[in-house]
Amino acid sequence: MNPGARLVILGKQGAGKGTQAVRLSRHYVVPHVSTGDTFRAAVRSGSEFGKRAQKYLEAGELVPDEVVIGVVRERLTHDDTTHRGFVLDGFPRTVQQAEALMEIVVPQGLDVAIDLEIDTRVVLERLASRRVCSDCGANYSVSDNPPRVPGICDVCGGDVVQRDDDTEAAIRRRLELYDHETAPLVDWFDERGLLARMDGMGSPDQVTERLVTEIDRRKKFRPR
Ligand code: ADP
Ligand code: ZN
């Protein structure tokens, strides 16, 4: 195994982005940087910052670019991420965020941006059964991947709940924003030779194996 990787995971809500991001971060021994988890944790903490983020999350709206970019810049300029790498999950979501990211990751750049592709019908089913640990953010699914003890996180023992923003209205809004703001990023990364379109169907293990094969192939051409 060859540790270290500099990855972006794109994909619609419910594509399995969060699940695969956690697995890839373990495989390559790099931090999983999830902007969604960061904002949810801030909301739970009740901080001033969290209070400002809350209204966007509940409505399924995007947090303003300057705010998100600031958070990511701060996180990606620590030693662990500059040396080993990162798995970015939920960022970038707009072209402005993508442009900022490419400046932040200079000089090493990215290995690859993975677009996890999935059928819209499957997405809605997955979102309806999606649950999350309210303490550590671990992802579960009541149909495919329930916690061993119902309602209790396998990792930390926290409460496993439905996300506040997994309401029908907020999901609809996030999918709409995905089409308008985030889908164009697929072409944006493709034009820069950084995109891998990957099939998100199948079991989590099958998808991880597929992704690792592609990432390793790309990494060979980007010695560090
Ligand atoms: P999902 O993949 O289900 O949309 P995330 O956990 O990635 O969920 O994000 C949850 C919420 O956090 C978003 O709806 C948005 O309000 C905020 N958020 C996360 N990442 C970003 C980002 N890159 N830009 C703007 N807002 C973001
Ligand atoms: Zn937990």
Side-chain angles (χ1 to χ4, degrees):
M1 210 263 304
N2 173 7
R6 307 168 65 80
L7 308 173
V8 165
I9 317 265
L10 302 170
K12 223 174 252 173
Q13 287 68 24
K17 229 178 346 138
T19 304
Q20 294 301 325
V22 169
R23 288 159 165 256
L24 292 173
S25 85
R26 291 196 189 125
H27 183 89
Y28 292 106
V29 203
V30 294
H32 169 214
V33 177
S34 159
T35 45
D37 285 353
T38 303
F39 291 129
R40 279 187 290 279
V43 170
R44 281 198 301 275
S45 79
S47 67
E48 237 0 87
F49 176 67
K51 282 183 195 139
R52 267 184 287 142
Q54 187 162 18
K55 63 170 192 284
Y56 297 103
L57 268 76
E58 278 176 0
E61 294 297 332
L62 294 180
V63 174
D65 280 341
E66 321 79 74
V67 178
V68 195
I69 290 167
V71 166
V72 171
R73 175 175 288 118
E74 212 280 320
R75 184 63 191 90
L76 291 193
T77 46
H78 289 186
D79 280 356
D80 58 343
T81 47
T82 50
H83 289 137
R84 308 192 62 106
F86 47 80
V87 179
L88 265 179
D89 165 9
F91 184 95
R93 254 178 162 88
T94 64
V95 169
Q96 200 193 331
Q97 292 179 15
E99 284 166 351
L101 174 65
M102 297 317 279
E103 283 166 25
I104 295 169
V105 297
V106 163
Q108 301 101 315
L110 296 178
D111 289 325
V112 60
I114 290 172
D115 181 35
L116 212 50
E117 295 180 323
I118 190 119
D119 221 297
T120 305
R121 269 169 306 140
V122 177
V123 159
L124 294 174
E125 282 163 29
R126 285 189 182 178
L127 289 173
S129 65
R130 173 156 88 175
R131 299 291 182 275
V132 63
C133 172
S134 57
D135 287 337
C136 76
N139 275 297
Y140 297 95
S141 154
V142 285
S143 51
D144 297 347
N145 172 33
R148 282 192 291 269
V149 180
I152 310 279
C153 179
D154 294 350
V155 181
C156 78
D159 287 339
V160 172
V161 300
Q162 186 152 34
R163 272 168 45 173
D164 289 339
D165 64 342
D166 275 351
T167 60
E168 212 185 304
I171 288 172
R172 206 174 320 114
R173 181 60 185 148
R174 296 210 304 284
L175 288 171
E176 212 172 271
L177 280 173
Y178 186 84
D179 283 340
H180 288 156
E181 305 286 342
T182 311
L185 282 182
V186 171
D187 291 334
W188 193 94
F189 280 112
D190 200 17
E191 283 157 17
R192 286 156 184 79
L194 286 170
L195 187 76
R197 287 193 171 84
M198 303 295 298
D199 181 2
M201 300 298 287
S203 72
D205 283 344
Q206 285 167 337
V207 176
T208 306
E209 203 182 298
R210 209 175 285 151
L211 299 187
V212 165
T213 305
E214 177 64 16
I215 293 164
D216 287 345
R217 198 177 68 77
R218 300 259 179 169
K219 277 177 36 162
K220 276 194 220 124
F221 301 108
R222 291 174 188 273
R224 70 203 73 237

